Structures are given as structure tokens and as C-alpha cells.
Amino acid sequence: MGVPEHELPQSYTLFTPGNASSPKICRDFVRSALETLGLGDLADTASLCTSELVTNVHQHAAGDVHLRTAVEATHVRVAVYDESFTLPTPRRARAADAGGRGLFLVTALSDLCGVTSTGRGKGVWFQLNR
């Protein structure tokens, strides 16, 4: 089914502290929004990518998480904003490393992704085409 075209665009916003519980809360929020709008086919990928970006805020950035999910006629874009001006730098994880693959996963699974500087930090986003 899906959301009717005349009801688009729609956006959903969530603010959470940048702590260890935030990746799950944000992941569930995105999944719920997409499934409710009839976009469950994008929910697994969107929730995984969201979790990776929010985990990066918890581990490497400062301040709270501002999550924005925008649903357009042609795509869904999820942006994760934080209060750090330090841009993310993908690194090549070794086989034995427990982490370091998040940005590569987001790049591989999304149709587009990028970073936007804001006056109060940055936003890292990904887009999934519908």
C-alpha cells in the first residue's frame, strides 16, 4: 500500500541523548515510521543504517542526537545530527576488529549518503530510493 502521494512529503523528528540506548531507540523509531507508512520493504536497511550512524554519535561525537526521517515520493532520507564539528572518517577495519565498519555499511546499503555541516555541528545522512 504505502503513503498516498498527496500526503507527501512527511518528516518525523526525534531527539535523544547521545548515550548507549540511543541507537536502539532511533532504530525502532525509523522502523516504526516506515512500517506505518507502508514502506516496510525499506525498514530493515533504514533501521540498520540509522543504528550505525547513531552509534557513531555515541562513540565519537558530542551532545544529543537529533534524528530526522523525511519521506518523499521518490526516496526516504534519514539524517542524524550531533553537536560535533569533527567530520566522520571511514577507516578500514581489520578482520579481528570489533567495530569500524559502520560507515562502510551505510555507504554499501544506501543509494546516497553524505555529511552536512550545520552551525551547531554536523548531520550525517543516507537516502534509500523508493
Side-chain angles (χ1 to χ4, degrees):
M1 181 160 138
V3 63
E5 295 293 321
H6 69 277
E7 293 183 14
L8 295 175
Q10 292 187 20
S11 67
Y12 302 87
T13 302
L14 176 69
F15 293 90
T16 69
N19 62 32
S21 64
S22 293
K24 178 175 178 13
I25 291 168
C26 292
R27 177 175 66 237
D28 292 349
F29 178 82
V30 169
R31 174 180 297 283
S32 178
L34 294 180
E35 288 177 348
T36 299
L37 295 173
L39 300 171
D41 57 318
L42 300 177
D44 285 343
T45 301
S47 62
L48 174 61
C49 291
T50 299
S51 184
E52 293 298 335
L53 295 184
V54 177
T55 296
N56 283 349
V57 173
H58 167 62
Q59 293 179 341
H60 306 293
D64 294 337
V65 173
H66 169 193
L67 174 73
R68 182 172 183 271
T69 303
V71 179
E72 304 276 348
T74 59
H75 64 273
V76 172
R77 182 174 284 195
V78 177
V80 176
Y81 299 92
D82 63 56
E83 299 170 13
S84 172
F85 291 98
T86 304
L87 298 179
T89 52
R91 65 180 181 90
R92 185 168 304 276
R94 296 179 306 233
D97 289 347
R101 295 170 184 83
L103 292 176
F104 284 110
L105 280 171
V106 172
T107 300
L109 295 174
S110 64
D111 293 299
L112 290 171
C113 59
V115 178
T116 303
S117 294
T118 69
R120 298 174 50 191
K122 68 178 171 306
V124 183
W125 57 269
F126 66 89
Q127 179 174 304
L128 302 175
N129 294 336
R130 294 183 52 195

